[in-house]
Amino acid sequence: MSIVVVGSVAFDGLKTPYGVREKVLGGAATYFSLSASYFTEVRVVGVVGDDFLPEHEAVMNKRGVDTRGIQRANGKTFFWKGEYGENVNEAKTLQTDLNVFATFQPQLPAEYLNSEYLFLANIDPVLQTKVRDSMPGVKLVGGDTMNYWIKDHRENLGKMLKRVDMLLINDTEAKMLGEDNSLPRAARKVLNLGPKALVIKHGEYGATIFFRDGEFAGGHHPFRAPALPLEEVRDPTGAGDSFAGGFMGYIASQGEVTRTVLKHAMFYGSVMGSFSVECFGTERLQSLTREEIDERFLIFRELTHLD
Amino acid sequence: MSIVVVGSVAFDGLKTPYGVREKVLGGAATYFSLSASYFTEVRVVGVVGDDFLPEHEAVMNKRGVDTRGIQRANGKTFFWKGEYGENVNEAKTLQTDLNVFATFQPQLPAEYLNSEYLFLANIDPVLQTKVRDSMPGVKLVGGDTMNYWIKDHRENLGKMLKRVDMLLINDTEAKMLGEDNSLPRAARKVLNLGPKALVIKHGEYGATIFFRDGEFAGGHHPFRAPALPLEEVRDPTGAGDSFAGGFMGYIASQGEVTRTVLKHAMFYGSVMGSFSVECFGTERLQSLTREEIDERFLIFRELTHLD
């Protein structure tokens, strides 16, 4: 099985209580790809500028990620600079230079079109819908979005929501999208907009998946995966995208999308998020082993299971 | 097995998006007692004023709670008035009249002294330590505290912390007491102050128990219980005390304090908290059945368990 991911490939400038990095490889599609690469074949679609060097692409290729869908454009690669204070749950954006990403028009290589899984990372919902439509035979589509699209591009987002099977967003986004301050009520309202399942990421408190009634043949109760209580979160950047990569990657590796698969996917998503934040940028995601991942899976189990 | 609880018995004035109550039975010891009464024999120690009528005491007696330790004093009962907005996680205190509670000196009836379990709800740590010392043979002691004591009575609180086995506090209190913005690091620092285990309550995200190394013969990993994603939280007042009642009550019912017992206690604590917030005041806690409790326990299991 293989999964296509469409989204940002970027450079990040990072400042956390643990240090500073001027310019490291980042972007939602990058974190997602590296994370998912431990579970399934990954094909990435994005755009980069002249400053994106072979050594950067090699980071993905070393993990077996197919980068033929990364377009080259004249100009600089998307750059984001952010700072985290004592509260690692909140990033303060210091600089956002969209650069070549501003005019990104995703183009899927013909070789990608037989993929059965698709993840639409956070980009303009019009583009997300377009990509979705270009893969009519896809088995399962996951998507992400953010405040900006929820606030000012609601109509376009609404069309996209009818075309994805699962939406992965955080608490604030869910409350904004569902227009309700109660998370469970907001979840129900978001599910009424289209997706069959909604994963809400709670940061250090883990994540919850809510199911639309009757979907994935199971009870009507949601399922919650914990986050690892980590004493040292060196860089929270990309935690959500790493979660999405583990979540979607695991699903793609299973062949069928049952409730049991989705529950395990929630755990693998949390596991990958917990690795991601241990080091700056994508460093930790570059050199994991499947053994380390499965060992941590067992810790997550111990964290939550009665026996 | 029986448990003694020392703390406030009060009247509350409540305003939430679901309605208003001018004066209903409340107080930490009341919520705790009712909650714990579904698991074990409960003996309460507190103080009330002239406005505390037989019908109020009857609420506890109907649940089999021994109220011989409730003293009568001239004056009015402790009164708290609070309001919750759209964000039910935060109470806005509108009025606090300590009344007879201001000069509360806990006195344990001789009949209470053979209890093997003790819970020190949130009162002056000097009084908590005094009560603790009056029960030297007790098997397990749980305690609560709040910002006020952490900020301005640290020395007295330090003495109390050396005399309790488990401390149950919320995120904000844990970070303040551990003087660290990372919850897992704060937890470790609090455990260094005395308790063998620390339960941190995260509101709608559940609760985590952290263990001091080597205690309760198990791995060194914490354990996390979820909260129920409730669409309607009518009144969050007393959720933490109801959690404590379920947690300590279940432990007291088991006879031994193993890691497995503590994990189950975390679930029962969350279960009782979830019932408490469904109605105003202690209403829901007055009329539960053990069957309803165990049914909800299974829902909590389904919420978090892979299989």
Side-chain angles (χ1 to χ4, degrees):
Chain A
M1 304 293 168
S2 67
I3 185 163
V4 171
V5 53
V6 183
S8 62
V9 177
F11 289 118
D12 290 341
L14 305 165
K15 191 177 173 189
T16 87
Y18 289 89
V20 176
R21 295 294 183 279
E22 291 304 331
K23 191 181 174 188
V24 296
L25 185 60
T30 311
Y31 278 100
F32 181 98
S33 296
L34 293 173
S35 175
S37 74
Y38 292 92
F39 302 93
T40 193
E41 202 182 306
V42 184
R43 297 159 163 182
V44 60
V45 176
V47 63
V48 296
D50 313 318
D51 53 347
F52 195 82
L53 306 176
E55 71 203 59
H56 301 120
E57 192 155 349
V59 168
M60 291 194 244
N61 297 145
K62 267 184 205 152
R63 287 288 325 138
V65 175
D66 188 335
T67 53
R68 283 177 293 179
I70 296 185
Q71 309 157 39
R72 309 256 154 196
N74 289 326
K76 294 182 85 178
T77 303
F78 181 14
F79 180 74
W80 176 82
K81 189 172 176 177
E83 182 177 351
Y84 301 85
E86 282 289 301
N87 181 353
V88 292
N89 297 316
E90 277 169 43
K92 188 176 149 197
T93 292
L94 302 174
Q95 194 179 335
T96 308
D97 302 334
L98 290 176
N99 298 327
V100 299
F101 194 62
T103 52
F104 178 40
Q105 290 291 334
Q107 279 158 12
L108 272 64
E111 301 89 346
Y112 282 20
L113 295 175
N114 64 351
S115 281
E116 290 188 290
Y117 298 87
L118 170 66
F119 186 71
L120 305 162
N122 168 40
I123 55 173
D124 186 333
V126 172
L127 300 180
Q128 290 178 312
T129 305
K130 212 182 254 183
V131 172
R132 168 67 187 89
D133 289 342
S134 72
M135 291 181 70
V138 80
K139 194 166 167 177
L140 189 91
V141 184
D144 188 4
T145 191
M146 70 179 289
N147 296 2
Y148 174 73
W149 310 114
I150 298 172
K151 250 190 289 185
D152 300 328
H153 295 73
R154 223 185 161 86
E155 202 184 321
N156 292 336
L157 184 61
K159 289 178 192 160
M160 173 274 212
L161 289 174
K162 292 197 192 314
R163 306 282 287 132
V164 299
D165 300 295
M166 355 214 112
L167 184 70
L168 286 81
I169 52 182
N170 68 27
D171 286 28
T172 311
E173 291 155 355
K175 287 177 180 176
M176 190 182 280
L177 182 55
E179 295 178 314
D180 202 308
N181 270 309
S182 149
L183 209 55
R185 277 202 308 263
R188 185 164 41 81
K189 291 177 183 173
V190 171
L191 289 172
N192 285 338
L193 299 175
K196 297 192 184 77
L198 169 67
V199 176
I200 303 182
K201 297 169 283 182
H202 316 306
E204 65 173 316
Y205 299 115
T208 308
I209 185 168
F210 293 86
F211 304 100
R212 191 130 60 93
D213 273 352
E215 296 292 347
F216 308 111
H220 59 286
H221 295 298
F223 181 76
R224 180 165 286 182
L228 195 65
L230 283 170
E231 291 210 6
E232 305 204 327
V233 173
R234 284 199 187 74
D235 172 20
T237 312
D241 300 311
S242 305
F243 177 100
F247 178 79
M248 293 293 300
Y250 177 78
I251 293 172
S253 75
Q254 294 301 295
E256 50 167 13
V257 192
T258 64
R259 176 114 11 165
T260 302
V261 166
L262 291 175
K263 288 179 179 184
H264 283 76
M266 288 291 288
F267 266 57
Y268 278 110
S270 294
V271 163
M272 298 312 288
S274 78
F275 279 121
S276 176
V277 303
E278 284 182 357
C279 297
F280 274 85
T282 60
E283 202 182 310
R284 192 76 183 93
L285 295 184
Q286 294 177 30
S287 59
L288 283 167
T289 64
R290 186 60 198 255
E291 289 66 39
E292 287 176 302
I293 291 168
D294 287 327
E295 267 170 37
R296 186 157 295 182
F297 182 94
L298 292 179
I299 294 176
F300 272 76
R301 201 188 164 94
E302 195 183 325
L303 262 177
T304 49
H305 282 52
L306 291 167
D307 30 47
Chain B
M1 302 292 168
S2 67
I3 186 164
V4 171
V5 52
V6 183
S8 62
V9 176
F11 289 118
D12 291 341
L14 305 166
K15 189 176 174 189
T16 88
Y18 289 89
V20 176
R21 296 292 183 279
E22 291 303 331
K23 192 180 174 189
V24 296
L25 185 61
T30 311
Y31 277 100
F32 181 98
S33 295
L34 293 173
S35 175
S37 73
Y38 291 92
F39 302 92
T40 193
E41 201 182 307
V42 184
R43 297 157 163 183
V44 59
V45 176
V47 63
V48 295
D50 312 319
D51 53 348
F52 195 82
L53 306 176
E55 71 203 56
H56 301 121
E57 192 155 350
V59 168
M60 293 195 244
N61 297 146
K62 268 184 204 154
R63 287 288 324 140
V65 175
D66 188 334
T67 54
R68 284 177 294 180
I70 296 185
Q71 309 157 38
R72 309 256 155 194
N74 290 327
K76 292 181 87 176
T77 302
F78 181 13
F79 180 74
W80 176 82
K81 188 172 177 175
E83 182 177 351
Y84 302 85
E86 281 290 300
N87 181 353
V88 292
N89 296 315
E90 276 169 43
K92 188 176 148 198
T93 292
L94 302 174
Q95 194 180 335
T96 308
D97 302 333
L98 291 176
N99 297 327
V100 298
F101 193 62
T103 52
F104 178 40
Q105 288 293 332
Q107 280 158 11
L108 273 64
E111 300 89 344
Y112 282 19
L113 295 175
N114 63 351
S115 282
E116 289 187 292
Y117 297 86
L118 171 65
F119 186 72
L120 305 162
N122 168 40
I123 56 172
D124 186 334
V126 172
L127 299 180
Q128 290 178 312
T129 305
K130 211 183 252 184
V131 171
R132 168 67 185 88
D133 290 342
S134 73
M135 291 180 70
V138 80
K139 194 167 168 176
L140 189 92
V141 184
D144 188 4
T145 191
M146 71 180 286
N147 294 2
Y148 174 74
W149 309 113
I150 298 172
K151 252 190 287 189
D152 301 327
H153 294 73
R154 219 178 165 90
E155 202 185 320
N156 292 336
L157 183 61
K159 289 178 193 163
M160 172 273 211
L161 289 173
K162 291 196 192 313
R163 307 283 287 133
V164 299
D165 299 293
M166 355 214 111
L167 184 69
L168 287 81
I169 52 183
N170 68 28
D171 284 29
T172 311
E173 291 156 355
K175 287 177 179 177
M176 189 182 280
L177 182 55
E179 294 178 317
D180 202 307
N181 270 310
S182 149
L183 210 55
R185 277 203 306 266
R188 186 164 41 81
K189 291 177 183 173
V190 171
L191 289 172
N192 285 338
L193 299 174
K196 297 192 184 78
L198 169 67
V199 176
I200 304 183
K201 296 168 283 180
H202 315 306
E204 64 174 315
Y205 299 115
T208 308
I209 184 167
F210 293 86
F211 304 100
R212 190 129 62 92
D213 273 352
E215 296 291 349
F216 308 110
H220 60 286
H221 295 299
F223 180 76
R224 181 165 286 181
L228 195 66
L230 283 169
E231 291 211 6
E232 305 204 328
V233 172
R234 284 199 185 74
D235 172 20
T237 313
D241 300 310
S242 304
F243 178 99
F247 179 80
M248 293 294 298
Y250 177 78
I251 294 172
S253 75
Q254 294 302 295
E256 51 168 11
V257 192
T258 64
R259 175 110 17 160
T260 302
V261 166
L262 291 176
K263 287 179 178 183
H264 283 76
M266 288 291 288
F267 266 56
Y268 278 111
S270 294
V271 164
M272 298 311 288
S274 78
F275 279 122
S276 177
V277 303
E278 285 182 355
C279 298
F280 274 86
T282 60
E283 203 183 311
R284 191 75 182 92
L285 295 184
Q286 292 177 31
S287 59
L288 283 166
T289 65
R290 186 58 197 256
E291 288 67 38
E292 286 176 302
I293 291 169
D294 287 327
E295 265 170 39
R296 186 157 294 185
F297 182 93
L298 291 179
I299 293 176
F300 271 75
R301 202 188 164 94
E302 194 183 327
L303 262 179
T304 50
H305 282 51
L306 292 167
D307 33 45

